[in-house]
Each structure stands twice: as C-alpha cells, then as structure tokens.
Amino acid sequence: MSAPGIAEPQLGSTHRGWYSRGYLPHCDYPGLLQAITYRLADSLPAAVLEQMDANLRRLPPRQRDRERRQRIEDWLDAGHGCCVLRTPEAAACVVDTWRHFAGVRYDLIAWVVMPNHVHVLIRVYEGVLLGKIVQSWKSYTGRRIRGMMEEGRARARRSQGGRSQEGQPGGVWMREYWDRYIRDERHFEAMVRYIHDNPVKAGLAKKAENWPWSNAREFAELAELGLGGPGEFGDAELHLGPSGKQAK
C-alpha cells in the first residue's frame, strides 16, 4: 500500500487519560494494550438504538451498560446494513491500513474484519494518541471504501440500462468507537479469543482460522511454535492506567 495520503503526518501530542467527546468514554495512556471496535455508519440505525435504550432504562446502570453492549454486538453480528466490508477489496483496505503503521505508531496484535464492523487489539506507543490513530484509519479507509461503493453503484446502473440507483448518504464509518484496555494476562487471552472467534459466533465460519480477514491462523501457528503471538507486536507487556480500572 502506498504511503501518500494514508493518514495525518502528525499524531503525537499529550496523552489525554480518561476523556469523552459526549458519547462514549475513552482511555488514552501510552503503553496500554487497547481493544478497539468501530462500525459502518449504516450498521445500527438510530431508531433501533433509541428503542434499545428505551427498553433498557429500567435496569441498574452497570447492568444496563453490559446488556446494551451485548445487544449491539448481537445486532452487528446479524449483518445489518450494506456490509461493504464483506467484499475482499474493502476488507483488504482495512487490514493494509492497520499494517501500514504497525511498528511505527503501535503494535498490531489481533484483528478481525467483519461484514459491518471491525475489532483490533493494539499497543499504543508513547506520544501517539489513540483517538488520532483511529481517526487516521477511518479517514483513509473511508475515502477508499466510498470510492469502491460508488464504482459498484455505477456498474449496477450500467447493468440496469442507466437507471438511477439511490446512493448511501453520509460517511462510511460511524463517528464513535469503543476502546477497552487490557487489565491482565487473563483479560488479554479472553480478548484475543473474542476477536478471533467473532466470525464463528456470527455463523460466518466454522473455525476462527477459516475466516480470511483475521490473523487467527497466524496466531494459532505461532502459539504451536511456543512463540505466544504474532511477530507484529513482539514483546507486548500489560499496562494499567492510573485508575487501575477497566475501561467501560
């Protein structure tokens, strides 16, 4: 993948610790292992999310947050929306973008591209902001994937004799993302399994290693050799933020 235009040239600044942009809480400390999820803009309609929240209001806050996250995950795994990431070109664009700055801005540890969302586990380097990393991923892949979608609609119009076809409004990616930092080795192992097993849970593959858009096979092969994980992330240490608590 060519470097020009892939991301903003400057991603370094003062790490922000715990912060929120008014939607979800984020945790940004150097050296943390961070599990990140982001999704396509049309994967969860606002009306569905509003109804989901209305149904959960009677629950205590902590239980409500867990149940909300689980229902969102189930909805995403059902494959709603355009699911453009199902196409090899779009999935490869996402993976290539992750790999481009691996070893420069972060360690790339575990990842999977699902039809309408992605999960990726990284370790952020000193002076590189997590929010800027995710923004650069979404900015570059959004432009590329938008072009793929427009080309697909153009082909469809030609095949239909030039009849117009309504396009998808707005951006490719949902603005927000989820991040959760890794507390300890048990949490690390559970998160890697969760990421790699997502296609199995969604009924897209019988084994995690069979899904072409994850590094589950590489992870398994290196584990058999006793290396413990993919060479892309090397000697990953577990770090906690100052609070010592799990990101919500």
Side-chain angles (χ1 to χ4, degrees), residues 48-58 64 68 72:
V48 173
L49 188 59
E50 290 172 2
Q51 183 61 49
M52 194 180 296
D53 288 339
N55 294 337
L56 295 174
R57 283 177 188 150
R58 68 182 185 280
R64 184 192 311 147
R68 184 179 190 271
I72 289 175

Side-chain angles (χ1 to χ4, degrees), residues 145-212:
I145 293 172
R146 169 63 67 187
M148 297 174 193
M149 296 168 67
E150 290 173 353
E151 289 176 6
R153 288 195 291 268
R155 287 195 297 269
R157 286 195 297 270
R158 289 194 295 270
S159 68
Q160 296 172 12
R163 287 175 291 177
S164 63
Q165 187 179 52
E166 184 179 355
Q168 177 190 355
V172 170
W173 297 107
M174 186 68 183
R175 180 185 177 221
E176 272 288 3
Y177 63 92
W178 291 297
D179 60 90
R180 175 170 293 185
Y181 72 79
I182 303 302
R183 304 185 305 273
D184 50 36
E185 186 173 356
R186 179 182 296 181
H187 189 202
F188 173 80
E189 294 173 353
M191 185 57 68
V192 170
R193 286 195 302 271
Y194 171 82
I195 291 172
H196 289 158
D197 286 346
N198 199 177
V200 179
K201 176 177 175 288
L204 301 174
K206 291 185 178 180
K207 296 176 58 179
E209 293 84 354
N210 294 344
W211 185 246

Side-chain angles (χ1 to χ4, degrees), residues 9-24:
Q10 298 295 328
L11 295 181
S13 186
T14 303
H15 289 271
R16 301 178 64 182
W18 285 98
Y19 72 97
S20 173
R21 297 188 300 179
Y23 298 91
L24 299 173

Side-chain angles (χ1 to χ4, degrees), residues 60-102:
R62 181 169 296 184
Q63 183 181 353
R64 184 192 311 147
D65 291 342
R66 288 197 300 267
E67 182 65 23
R68 184 179 190 271
R69 180 67 180 267
Q70 184 60 56
R71 292 192 184 188
I72 289 175
E73 291 173 354
D74 291 343
W75 178 274
L76 294 177
D77 288 342
H80 295 284
C82 68
C83 291
V84 66
L85 302 180
R86 192 185 298 272
T87 64
E89 295 82 3
C93 177
V94 172
V95 175
D96 289 345
T97 303
W98 287 337
R99 285 175 166 162
H100 188 74
F101 285 113

Side-chain angles (χ1 to χ4, degrees), residues 138-150:
K138 292 162 73 173
S139 176
Y140 178 73
T141 58
R143 292 193 298 270
R144 292 283 306 278
I145 293 172
R146 169 63 67 187
M148 297 174 193
M149 296 168 67
E150 290 173 353

